[in-house]
Amino acid sequence: MTDQAKLFITDIYDALGDLVRAAGGPKAVGQALRPAKPSDDAAGWVKDCLNRNRREKFDAEDIMWLLKRGREIGCYMITAFINAEAKLGDAQDRG
């Protein structure tokens, strides 16, 4: 797995994966979101959440944490993807 962001994001899972990589990877994110789990289990849970074929998914609070973490580290691929997919445009365009 490379630390470099993808040039093209095809779906929400790609966007979330880029954000997880930028935030230190599945182990770091897993420990932040599920501190009671052993770090390897938490990392596995994050990987499962990023796999569209798995049942595990991030909940709304997890997504909000990821969005805030993205802002903190200057990773805006997820917000750009959401804005483009939902046709929200740039927040600055709305005044």
Side-chain angles (χ1 to χ4, degrees):
M1 184 183 303
T2 177
D3 287 340
Q4 186 175 3
K6 290 184 175 184
L7 185 56
F8 298 104
I9 299 296
T10 59
D11 61 23
I12 192 72
Y13 296 97
D14 279 347
L16 287 167
D18 270 359
L19 179 49
V20 166
R21 280 188 291 282
K27 192 172 263 191
V29 170
Q31 283 291 264
L33 292 175
R34 297 294 184 270
K37 284 185 175 250
S39 67
D40 287 341
D41 291 347
W45 171 78
V46 170
K47 290 176 188 177
D48 287 345
C49 289
L50 294 173
N51 182 340
R52 70 186 51 76
N53 299 316
R54 298 300 299 246
R55 189 174 70 162
E56 293 79 3
K57 302 295 177 219
F58 294 120
D59 65 24
E61 291 173 352
D62 299 330
I63 297 291
M64 288 305 299
W65 184 91
L66 287 162
L67 290 168
K68 290 175 183 178
R69 184 68 182 128
R71 184 193 64 231
E72 290 169 1
I73 62 175
C75 179
Y76 297 102
M77 188 60 75
I78 185 73
T79 52
F81 176 80
I82 291 170
N83 286 344
E85 284 296 301
K87 309 238 185 300
L88 297 173
D90 188 4
Q92 293 174 335
D93 294 339
R94 292 189 299 275

